[in-house]
Amino acid sequence: MTSSASPASELPAPTRCVDLRSDTVTRPTRAMRDAMMQAEVGDDVFAEDPSVNALQDKIADLLGFEAALFMSTGTQSNLCGIVAHCDRGDEFIVGQMAHAYRWEGGGAAVLGSVQPQPLLQQADGSIALADIEAAIKPDDAHYARTRMLALENTWGGKVLPMKYLVEASTLAHQHGLTTHLDGARLFNAAVAQAAAVGSNPMTEARRIALCFDSVSVCFSKGLGTPAGSALCGSREFIARAHRWRKMVGGGMRQVGILAAAATYALDHHVHRLYEDHARMQRLARGLQGLPGIEFESPQTNILFVNLVGPTRERAAELAAHLKQQGVLANGSTRLRLVTHLDISQEDVDHAIAAFRSFLTK
Ligand SMILES: *Cc1c(COP(=O)(O)O)cnc(C)c1O
């Protein structure tokens, strides 16, 4: 079958694709593929994959935990973490807009019989301490047992203040709750925090992680691997999570190929997150002051752009214009733009020009 020639009315194909939808769209670099090619592998269900074992030791050590477990996705990692903390009939406190509540198909409830207690978040992504305290149920047969507090950092690209993390985890522990961090973008938080306090990202990642009994991190977001997350915690906790990982079909075999990508990413793609953040700053500067849009200043690699006034009615037109210019974003009247490994400074400038040409015409 031959393809027909494009009709004359069809717009020329965009020469550049600037995919700002998510930092999950990154493709593994040449060097990462080489590391994957060279990975020594074994059967990880027998705990015999040296690359997986090395990664698990490395991430546990980096974040200050006894043990870690490689997971296929962040959703699987959060799920296994929640059900390793909570038994049937327990509940966990979580943000109303948190990934682990809103974007994971209700897995903890469906598979673990664990009830979420979602709470409204503050604008900075935190859950007010008073709200947490008020939501912790007394020991009474009417209530689910409140067992755990889950926070997310970064949340919507925002870095939760260190002081808050300490206070929230102290409060949770005082009430006998355990704490879990959905740190899908923990290293983005660490890099931003390191810049703010003049420290280094690994130190900050560890400081953040140590506020929690368990932490889940994603390798497939800003770190740029094709797949994979890790759950970190005590040895006993990880043993419980391991059983759950098996039950939800996450026991993989020669998965050292993916673990090698994650190890490569930890060695080479953490510090470079500064670049993603700097490019996001450049994008925000370029969009600043354009008519019809409003946004809060970005802290890491994510920007939410709200369409306002008459531009709100032109959301579909803007999306079509951006697409025609080869710029992809998520959302309609509230666009999400994300910088990542595959977004260069030129890509950012191209995206700014695409917005400008639409908003100023
Ligand atoms: C992406 C993400 C996850 C996990 O997502 P998967 O697609 O299942 O890997 C969890 N939490 C947050 C905050 C995320 O952004």
Side-chain angles (χ1 to χ4, degrees):
M1 215 168 90
T2 57
S3 62
S4 57
S6 320
S9 62
E10 203 174 276
L11 292 162
T15 51
R16 188 185 277 276
C17 178
V18 181
D19 194 342
L20 298 166
R21 289 173 302 167
S22 177
D23 45 10
T24 56
V25 302
T26 53
R27 285 144 307 172
T29 61
R30 181 84 246 168
M32 182 181 283
R33 286 169 198 247
D34 286 344
M36 295 171 77
M37 278 284 289
Q38 279 146 32
E40 271 189 62
V41 295
D43 190 333
D44 184 50
V45 174
F46 299 163
E48 285 174 4
D49 189 302
S51 300
V52 172
N53 292 338
L55 170 68
Q56 290 175 165
D57 289 348
K58 185 183 179 82
I59 187 74
D61 193 50
L62 270 175
L63 299 182
F65 289 96
E66 281 177 3
L69 197 57
F70 188 67
M71 297 280 183
S72 58
T73 64
T75 297
Q76 186 176 71
S77 191
N78 280 332
L79 171 65
C80 292
I82 293 165
V83 293
H85 280 294
C86 303
D87 294 323
R88 185 159 186 256
D90 290 348
E91 70 170 10
F92 67 107
I93 293 172
V94 62
Q96 185 78 48
M97 297 299 280
H99 201 281
Y101 169 63
R102 199 177 171 91
W103 306 95
E104 297 182 1
V110 174
L111 300 167
S113 300
V114 176
Q115 163 174 291
Q117 165 62 76
L119 295 179
L120 274 182
Q121 289 154 267
Q122 305 299 302
D124 67 359
S126 67
I127 308 170
L129 298 177
D131 293 346
I132 295 173
E133 195 153 26
I136 298 173
K137 315 290 185 293
D139 184 5
D140 175 316
H142 290 88
Y143 302 114
R145 282 174 305 249
T146 313
R147 281 294 281 277
M148 185 190 83
L149 169 68
L151 297 175
E152 182 176 318
N153 195 16
T154 62
W155 176 78
K158 293 179 179 180
V159 182
L160 266 59
M162 198 60 216
K163 181 170 171 285
Y164 171 75
L165 298 182
V166 172
E167 288 171 354
S169 80
T170 303
L171 175 69
H173 289 150
Q174 277 167 355
H175 287 272
L177 274 60
T178 58
T179 54
H180 173 74
L181 176 68
D182 178 356
R185 297 188 179 83
L186 169 65
F187 290 105
N188 290 91
V191 161
Q193 191 164 299
V197 304
S199 169
N200 81 68
M202 289 305 181
T203 304
E204 294 311 303
R206 199 183 162 96
R207 276 181 73 213
I208 295 169
L210 287 178
C211 296
F212 298 89
D213 298 302
S214 62
V215 171
S216 172
V217 290
C218 285
F219 301 116
S220 59
K221 302 270 166 88
L223 296 188
T225 76
S229 286
L231 181 67
C232 305
S234 70
R235 229 178 286 286
E236 194 203 342
F237 167 84
I238 290 298
R240 287 199 301 278
H242 193 175
R243 180 170 280 277
W244 275 100
R245 190 186 70 172
K246 185 68 192 170
M247 284 193 270
V248 296
M252 296 185 282
R253 303 292 177 173
Q254 286 72 31
V255 71
I257 290 182
L258 290 176
T263 295
Y264 179 88
L266 287 173
D267 290 340
H268 299 95
H269 288 174
V270 172
H271 290 257
R272 68 149 304 285
L273 293 171
Y274 282 117
E275 290 174 33
D276 297 344
H277 298 180
R279 282 177 193 139
M280 179 47 78
Q281 290 299 324
R282 184 180 179 93
L283 179 59
R285 279 197 307 275
L287 298 179
Q288 195 65 55
L290 288 177
I293 57 170
E294 277 176 10
F295 54 85
E296 272 181 66
S297 163
Q299 296 180 14
T300 58
N301 67 328
I302 302 180
L303 180 71
F304 288 95
V305 174
N306 293 312
L307 307 190
V308 295
T311 305
R312 239 184 125 73
E313 314 304 320
R314 297 169 68 208
E317 245 181 283
L318 172 61
H321 171 84
L322 291 175
K323 197 166 177 200
Q324 194 268 324
Q325 297 290 310
V327 177
L328 303 181
N330 256 351
S332 60
T333 55
R334 178 172 165 82
L335 298 174
R336 190 180 82 151
L337 307 175
V338 187
T339 53
H340 52 76
L341 196 55
D342 290 349
I343 296 294
S344 65
Q345 184 167 305
E346 292 70 38
D347 291 334
V348 165
D349 293 343
H350 181 81
I352 294 166
F355 273 94
R356 183 178 294 273
S357 61
F358 182 86
L359 295 171
T360 58
K361 86 175 169 228

